[in-house]
Amino acid sequence: MLVLWGTLAGLAVWMELVYHFSGYGWTAFNPIYGLLLILAWSGFWSMIVGVLKGRIKKILYYVVIWVPMVWTSVQLVYLHIFKQPLLWEVMIRGGGDALTNYWREALTGILQTIPFIILLIIPAIGVPAYLKWYGWKLPKYKTLQVMRSLVITLAGISGSVVMMEIGEVAEFEYYEEYHEFYDPLTVAEGMGVIPLFHGDIGIHLRRAVADLFKSNQASDYVPTAALPLPPHDEPGTVSGGDGANLPEGMVDPTEPPEDAPEEVVIRPHQYNLDYELLHQLADNKNQTWLADYIQEQTPVNTNEYTGMFKGYNLIFLTAEGFCTYAIDEELTPTLYMLANSGFVCENYYVPLWSTSTSDGEYINMTGLIPDGQHSMQHSSTNIQPFVLPAFFAADGVHSYAYHNNSLSYYDRHESHPNMGYDFKACKLGNLDPGVWGDKVFEMEQPNQWPASDYNMMVATVPEYVNDERFHVYYMTVSGHMNYNFKGNAMSGKNKEAVAELDKSEGSKAYIACNIELDKAMENLLEQLEAAGQLENTVICLSADHYPYGFSDAEYEELAGKDLSAGKDKFRNTLILWNAGMEEPVYIDKACGPMDLLPTLLNLFGFEYDSRMYAGRDILSDREGMVIFMNRDFVTDSVIFIEKGDITTWLQDENGYDIVPDDQKEAYLEEARKEVRRRYNFSAYIIQENYYSDVLQAMIPEAGE
């Protein structure tokens, strides 16, 4: 018994060690939970193998050895490419498309991780070979051996449960990372690949079970774009908290800014809600929490920029792998002009989330933090009354969306129309042409990888540019990794333009493929101007994530500076521009993609409720806060890194810490609570389809 159980347990421990040190280096980790799961896993499978007979016994033994090794090897390759663990949800929803789109990246990742894959495989081959050499045969368990294996299994299960219970009571970080906020990257790095597998499967199964019992409220509701938008509260009235308990350094949002122009009416961005009804509609603790949270929140006020672009067109782009270092005055002059002559956010950060591009889109488009389980796809079954197409539809404006890749990739053909977009792509993917053929736009060379953003603009802008008014969303792809001149069509296309740069091939290739994005933006502006639409069109562009295809050293080479301090790796550029802006507006508050939607709603003068988003209007009087996947955060006063409790207090122009020493503890405690609240709010909104409850609790204006 000991040999059978020991080989399984030993191989699992070896697997964890190779995965950790090859994926994360010599970083500290907590192996206890992983060892307890290994105890349960090895005890269970040794018992099953032990009681079986004949050929099936041997086959199962080799399956139990090889499947975890193959799975860990796949995890290593995926981590190396995408800087995130591979989740079940990713495989189920995007596995087929990933194989067809990212086979080059996968091949590169395999080649670069071969030494570690060999380390994983050697014992999986060596242990059975060694045992066979010495004539060892798989034992047949009798009752006593079965009982011993069962005891081992139960000991592992009990130990893991006790460990989590202790973590919950003592509020240890590992419990938060595993249960409350489930951060896959932190779990994989801090606890191991087996805890990652266990946690991921658990979440997926719970979600699947919940979906079975949850009515599909999106199947028979009026399309999002046609939903009526209710009124705001009367000027000067604020529901919920009063901001009196905020620590020193945090702005009280109930106080209008002192320098607000006299003609600006300061009032809260909020709807009239029947809070009693909202609580009555709650049928579980998450919905009750949401009802309490919304009622207690202090709405964000209007400001001097409210309605600045009322009646304008909006073109909103999520740019694949975009970052500040793609911008060059000579090589990408249009991007340079756009980035430096509109609203210029000097502390804009773009975090990286579990499902990279899809999550990046989700936070850009919804103002909510992704919940780590393909939030965009899950949103397609939820009511979406508070996204941009719904507000534009209330003004009678049509909303278009385009992507120069497959229509079916990440299930955008479901999520984007559910938001109210007329969504088209340059390829069908795996969809039926008879059903979806009219959702493909024709452009030159659609099968290039990556495809051309410029060609997409040439093909799509004529469809809407002559409308009286329009809202358009683009998901670009020219900036996609890998960054080289052999496998990246856009880098190869613009290779000559970067030939003289004193940089590595990777950096040159990255800038070259973003030259294609620059050409696209130049063409967009030219078509807008020719149609007489340039002056009344706002351009907003944000990245989905930084170019994680680079290693840290390669990214610093591209940047030309050290990026190891604080969250500098995630610093990025937001483009928010209109041709009519005579002077740039500089904004130094900390801000990020979750703030984009409320900022745009304020600028366009839409009546919205600021409490429906995790983000806050960048132009408001609220202190900025950027939240990252592992609960790190940046505010206007501090940079906080959860792992290791690393706190960097920011200083004012006189060199003094913005938050006084006697207020720092209270400030940090409140900020960490706020991160948790916004995480929970975002997760519960999508998991509970909660906007449907909010719609029911809205109080219409008299006479409606």
Side-chain angles (χ1 to χ4, degrees):
M1 172 196 165
L2 288 178
V3 176
L4 176 56
W5 170 74
T7 55
L8 295 179
L11 286 169
V13 171
W14 174 253
M15 176 182 73
E16 287 285 13
L17 291 173
V18 172
Y19 174 79
H20 182 83
F21 288 108
S22 58
Y24 307 102
W26 293 92
T27 58
F29 66 103
N30 179 4
I32 299 175
Y33 190 67
L35 289 174
L36 289 168
L37 292 181
I38 288 173
L39 192 67
W41 177 86
S42 58
F44 174 79
W45 285 111
S46 66
M47 178 174 62
I48 299 300
V49 171
V51 300
L52 291 174
K53 298 179 181 179
R55 188 175 184 82
I56 189 70
K57 184 188 197 79
K58 183 180 291 186
I59 291 173
L60 183 61
Y61 177 63
Y62 287 115
V63 167
V64 172
I65 286 177
W66 273 93
V67 168
M69 294 300 170
V70 171
W71 170 255
T72 305
S73 298
V74 171
Q75 284 285 356
L76 268 180
V77 173
Y78 193 89
L79 179 67
H80 185 83
I81 297 170
F82 296 105
K83 306 302 187 289
Q84 296 290 333
L86 175 62
L87 306 180
W88 275 100
E89 194 81 4
V90 175
M91 291 194 301
I92 293 169
R93 291 183 174 269
D97 285 330
L99 288 175
T100 56
N101 282 273
Y102 299 140
W103 65 267
R104 304 168 187 83
E105 289 86 348
L107 181 60
T108 301
I110 290 170
L111 292 174
Q112 293 176 340
T113 55
I114 274 182
F116 303 110
I117 293 174
I118 291 174
L119 284 175
L120 286 170
I121 292 175
I122 285 175
I125 297 174
V127 169
Y130 177 82
L131 295 176
K132 186 175 181 180
W133 179 268
Y134 280 90
W136 181 74
K137 294 183 179 181
L138 292 171
K140 169 131 178 62
Y141 280 10
K142 296 182 180 179
T143 302
L144 181 60
Q145 293 164 314
V146 171
M147 294 302 296
R148 287 174 177 170
S149 297
L150 185 59
V151 168
I152 291 173
T153 303
L154 293 176
I157 294 173
S158 301
S160 62
V161 170
V162 169
M163 183 176 176
M164 283 299 162
E165 290 295 326
I166 292 173
E168 181 178 15
V169 172
E171 298 182 349
F172 289 140
E173 286 185 9
Y174 71 78
Y175 177 81
E176 287 187 349
E177 294 161 357
Y178 202 75
H179 278 284
E180 289 191 22
F181 303 104
Y182 189 60
D183 173 7
L185 182 61
T186 302
V187 168
E189 180 180 359
M191 302 175 76
V193 71
I194 291 178
L196 169 72
F197 177 84
H198 178 264
D200 190 28
I201 285 290
I203 285 179
H204 186 69
L205 290 177
R206 288 195 296 273
R207 175 70 61 79
V209 171
D211 288 344
L212 288 176
F213 295 97
K214 183 172 68 174
S215 61
N216 187 357
Q217 299 182 55
S219 63
D220 57 359
Y221 75 91
V222 179
T224 293
L227 288 170
L229 294 174
H232 57 79
D233 282 345
E234 290 301 314
T237 63
V238 178
S239 303
D242 59 6
N245 296 320
L246 289 177
E248 182 82 17
M250 274 194 165
V251 176
D252 182 353
T254 63
E255 292 295 326
E258 294 180 0
D259 57 350
E262 292 183 2
E263 65 272 20
V264 175
V265 178
I266 300 300
R267 57 177 177 78
H269 279 301
Q270 70 176 117
Y271 298 143
N272 285 317
L273 294 179
D274 183 339
Y275 298 110
E276 183 177 351
L277 176 58
L278 198 62
H279 283 85
Q280 289 175 359
L281 292 170
D283 55 17
N284 61 48
K285 64 179 182 180
N286 291 350
Q287 294 178 10
T288 299
W289 186 95
L290 284 168
D292 291 338
Y293 177 84
I294 290 172
Q295 184 173 5
E296 293 167 0
Q297 282 296 294
T298 304
V300 174
N301 286 330
T302 56
N303 53 64
E304 62 181 299
Y305 298 101
T306 300
M308 177 177 177
F309 297 133
K310 189 173 182 62
Y312 282 46
N313 307 311
L314 172 63
I315 298 178
F316 186 13
L317 303 96
T318 296
E320 170 64 46
F322 179 73
C323 77
T324 302
Y325 315 114
I327 301 173
D328 182 271
E329 189 171 5
E330 295 182 359
L331 295 173
T332 55
T334 304
L335 289 172
Y336 183 87
M337 181 274 293
L338 293 171
N340 289 282
S341 58
F343 288 95
V344 181
C345 296
E346 300 179 306
N347 288 291
Y348 188 73
Y349 296 81
V350 177
L352 176 64
W353 304 95
S354 296
T355 318
S356 56
T357 294
S358 183
D359 280 352
E361 272 197 289
Y362 180 77
I363 196 168
N364 284 354
M365 299 170 80
T366 67
L368 298 173
I369 299 169
D371 73 343
Q373 294 294 308
H374 271 241
S375 300
M376 183 65 86
Q377 285 92 328
H378 282 293
S379 75
S380 63
T381 61
N382 286 5
I383 292 175
Q384 293 283 11
F386 304 132
V387 290
L388 285 167
F391 290 95
F392 278 98
D395 282 356
V397 179
H398 192 73
S399 293
Y400 304 82
Y402 303 100
H403 180 38
N404 47 341
N405 199 2
S406 299
L407 190 75
S408 61
Y409 198 69
Y410 283 134
D411 293 336
R412 289 187 179 99
H413 66 292
E414 296 177 351
S415 60
H416 289 34
N418 183 60
M419 288 186 176
Y421 286 109
D422 180 3
F423 176 61
K424 296 182 180 181
C426 68
K427 296 184 291 185
L428 267 180
N430 58 9
L431 299 176
D432 182 356
V435 177
W436 298 95
D438 64 337
K439 296 303 178 183
V440 174
F441 63 84
E442 294 185 6
M443 75 175 213
E444 291 187 17
Q445 299 176 302
N447 294 315
Q448 283 186 321
W449 183 251
S452 167
D453 295 340
Y454 170 81
N455 288 345
M456 176 169 62
M457 292 300 176
V458 171
T460 60
V461 175
E463 183 172 5
Y464 60 79
V465 73
N466 292 312
D467 288 1
E468 183 177 349
R469 192 173 168 213
F470 50 81
H471 164 47
V472 186
Y473 173 77
Y474 283 101
M475 178 69 230
T476 75
V477 81
S478 289
H480 205 288
M481 65 174 191
N482 282 336
Y483 303 119
N484 56 57
F485 293 114
K486 295 179 181 178
N488 189 309
M490 294 304 103
S491 296
K493 179 180 179 180
N494 299 299
K495 180 178 180 180
E496 186 176 341
V498 298
E500 301 302 318
L501 291 179
D502 184 21
K503 291 183 179 292
S504 65
E505 178 181 343
S507 293
K508 289 181 180 179
Y510 175 75
I511 295 171
C513 66
N514 277 284
I515 287 176
E516 196 68 12
L517 174 62
D518 187 77
K519 292 177 180 177
M521 300 307 294
E522 179 183 23
N523 178 265
L524 172 63
L525 298 184
E526 288 173 352
Q527 292 196 64
L528 288 171
E529 185 170 24
Q533 295 277 26
L534 184 61
E535 292 291 329
N536 62 329
T537 299
V538 175
I539 307 291
C540 180
L541 180 149
S542 179
D544 52 352
H545 51 71
Y546 79 99
Y548 58 70
F550 288 119
S551 67
D552 288 349
E554 290 169 335
Y555 194 42
E556 289 183 343
E557 192 267 341
L558 170 69
K561 60 182 178 181
D562 179 69
L563 298 174
S564 61
K567 308 299 289 185
D568 282 354
K569 182 167 68 174
F570 301 98
R571 281 184 174 273
N572 214 302
T573 293
L574 169 66
I575 289 174
L576 184 52
W577 177 90
N578 172 255
M581 296 179 66
E582 297 180 358
E583 297 290 338
V585 177
Y586 294 95
I587 304 162
D588 62 1
K589 72 158 60 176
C591 52
M594 73 179 184
D595 303 316
L596 291 180
L597 182 50
T599 302
L600 291 170
L601 294 175
N602 178 70
L603 282 169
F604 278 77
F606 290 121
E607 301 294 350
Y608 79 100
D609 193 323
S610 58
R611 300 169 299 173
M612 298 300 139
Y613 310 96
R616 305 289 184 261
D617 175 13
I618 294 171
L619 301 166
S620 72
D621 55 2
R622 291 293 177 95
E623 184 182 37
M625 171 177 275
V626 183
I627 299 172
F628 296 82
M629 186 174 68
N630 53 3
R631 290 169 293 126
D632 296 351
F633 59 86
V634 176
T635 73
D636 300 335
S637 305
V638 70
I639 300 172
F640 179 76
I641 298 176
E642 185 77 28
K643 189 174 181 180
D645 284 352
I646 301 172
T647 306
T648 304
W649 293 101
L650 304 180
Q651 297 179 331
D652 59 23
E653 62 275 9
N654 297 316
Y656 297 104
D657 288 354
I658 296 171
V659 179
D661 289 345
D662 61 349
Q663 295 292 327
K664 286 180 177 177
E665 184 177 352
Y667 179 95
L668 199 60
E669 180 182 357
E670 176 62 24
R672 295 180 74 177
K673 287 180 180 177
E674 182 63 15
V675 169
R676 291 175 173 85
R677 287 192 288 261
R678 296 199 202 183
Y679 253 102
N680 286 334
F681 171 77
S682 298
Y684 297 161
I685 285 288
I686 186 171
Q687 291 168 15
E688 302 295 336
N689 193 9
Y690 193 70
Y691 288 147
S692 62
D693 282 11
V694 174
L695 288 179
Q696 295 179 66
M698 288 178 172
I699 303 173
E701 284 185 337
E704 286 194 355

